[in-house]
Structure formats: structure tokens, C-alpha cells
Amino acid sequence: MEVKRFTGPYAGSQKYDLLTAISVAGLNGTPGFQRSMMRLVALITARYNWSADELTVGQKLMARLWSVDERTVKREIKRLTESSILLQLRPGVRGRVAAYRLNYMEIYRLSEPVWQNVGVDFASRMEALTPKPTEKVVHVQFGQEKLASAEHEINDLQDPWGRALRRLSESETLLFKSWYRDLQLVETHDQTITLRAPSKFIAQYIQSHHLKPLLGAIQLEFGRIQKVCLLG
């Protein structure tokens, strides 16, 4: 799928919508995430090269812009890249400034649960910006492979974690697409279930914002589970 570049006659308003999406995602996050998104908005507004679709800013300039020291800048950039909000294009070596690019798809994914908080018109515009998956041709094979596929689906339904995911996909469709879909079961022990998220940020965000629906679906399928441990 191809992400729309912010160029052309409507690019100005689209950039405002992108910054709004980052801002409202931050405002609905933890204090640390709020601070990260505020710094990112300031950096994008001041220094993002939309023509080249990249950010090339030295750490000293970032420190001055954010009113912090360079050690804080390094930690912040690490958080933004580990959460895939920023993608590193080129490392900073031998005096050359590192280059980064905004990961629009990740920004859309993180902010989608709060688009409606801004307004129906905003949600419609953001949906128009979000690329749709490319359709794929599926080759159907019969015989033993078809039988194996059917058995696999039955096994998924018999697995408590698979049923919990199915339940979440039906009852919490938006949260499932944005947060729960890529969670993986690690283990269950006593009254605790341990899950692995794609990143530390996603694990922390679910823990602080979207844990109740997740725990509810798990308890319906696993019974005695009282605690969810999320790894990132």
C-alpha cells in the first residue's frame, strides 16, 4: 500500500490534520507520551522537509528547540524510533546529521481511536488519507491442503487466546484493529497471563488505556485470570 505524500494543492490542510492527529493521540496518552508528541509536533512544524519527506536536524538544534540537554534528545529520538513513529533513513556518523522520516501509517494507527474526538469531518478526512490494503489474488487449492487449513481454523477456535481475540474483534472492532490484533500469548501462570506486544510503547499504552476490554475478553475465555502482564 502507498501512503499519500503531503504535496500538491491540498497539502497545507493535510499537514494540519496530521499534526492534529499527533496532538490528540498525545493528549490521550500517558504524561510521558504527551511530552513526546508535543516535542514531535514542535520538531515537525519547525524543521520537517516535506519536499524530501525527511527530517535532518542535529541534536544540538533539537536540544535548543526543546529546551533540554542532548542526552534527553538521544533518549527521545530512541523512543520515537523504537515505537516506529520515526523511521531512520540514515544514521548520523562522521559529523553527518542523521535523517528520519515520519511513519504515517503508524501515526494513523495510533491516532485512529481518537479521530472522532476531533469531529466527524476530521475522521472522514483522515480515513481518506489512510491507504487501503492492496487486493491480493488468492489461489485456492483443494485436497489435503484445504483439509489442513480447515483443521487449523477449528484449532484456532478451540484455543482460548484465539477465542479471546475473536471476541475482541467483534466487540471492540476499532481497538482490536489499532491495539489488540498483534498481541501474542507468551504464557499463563496462576492468575496472570503474559502477552507480547510489537513494541514497548504499545504495551504501555494498552496497559494504561485499553486494559479493561482486553482483560474482560480474557477472563471470559480463560476463567480465573486476574492480571495481564504486557511485554514490549
Side-chain angles (χ1 to χ4, degrees), residues 5-17:
R5 295 283 293 273
F6 290 88
T7 56
Y10 302 105
S13 60
Q14 291 169 352
K15 292 171 189 175
Y16 277 120
D17 284 342

Side-chain angles (χ1 to χ4, degrees), residues 20 22 45 47 113 139 147 152 185 196 200 225:
T20 300
I22 296 172
T45 305
R47 293 293 174 178
H139 297 281
L147 179 60
H152 178 69
L185 175 65
R196 185 175 301 280
K200 184 177 180 180
I225 297 296

Side-chain angles (χ1 to χ4, degrees), residues 21-135:
I22 296 172
S23 300
V24 294
L27 290 170
N28 282 271
T30 62
F33 187 56
Q34 290 179 14
R35 184 170 56 248
S36 293
M37 294 303 97
M38 179 179 293
R39 287 170 174 168
L40 180 61
V41 167
L43 191 59
I44 294 171
T45 305
R47 293 293 174 178
Y48 201 79
N49 185 334
W50 296 102
S51 298
D53 195 20
E54 66 178 35
L55 177 71
T56 51
V57 183
Q59 292 182 356
K60 287 185 179 180
L61 194 152
M62 287 190 204
R64 188 163 64 248
L65 177 65
W66 292 342
S67 299
V68 298
D69 55 31
E70 290 186 49
R71 182 178 298 178
T72 301
V73 169
K74 291 179 181 178
R75 288 198 299 266
E76 190 65 84
I77 293 298
K78 183 179 180 180
R79 280 194 291 267
L80 291 169
T81 52
E82 285 184 345
S83 62
S84 298
I85 295 172
L86 279 182
L87 304 175
Q88 188 179 73
L89 302 178
R90 299 184 298 275
V93 293
R94 297 180 182 177
R96 184 177 63 181
V97 175
Y100 301 91
R101 174 170 295 158
L102 288 171
N103 185 353
Y104 301 111
M105 287 302 300
E106 186 66 11
I107 292 170
Y108 297 155
R109 190 185 71 80
L110 292 175
S111 63
E112 185 178 7
V114 292
W115 288 352
Q116 293 290 341
N117 293 6
V118 182
V120 176
D121 57 334
F122 176 78
S124 298
R125 293 197 302 272
M126 292 303 293
E127 287 173 1
L129 283 176
T130 307
K132 303 300 184 291
T134 303
E135 293 185 1

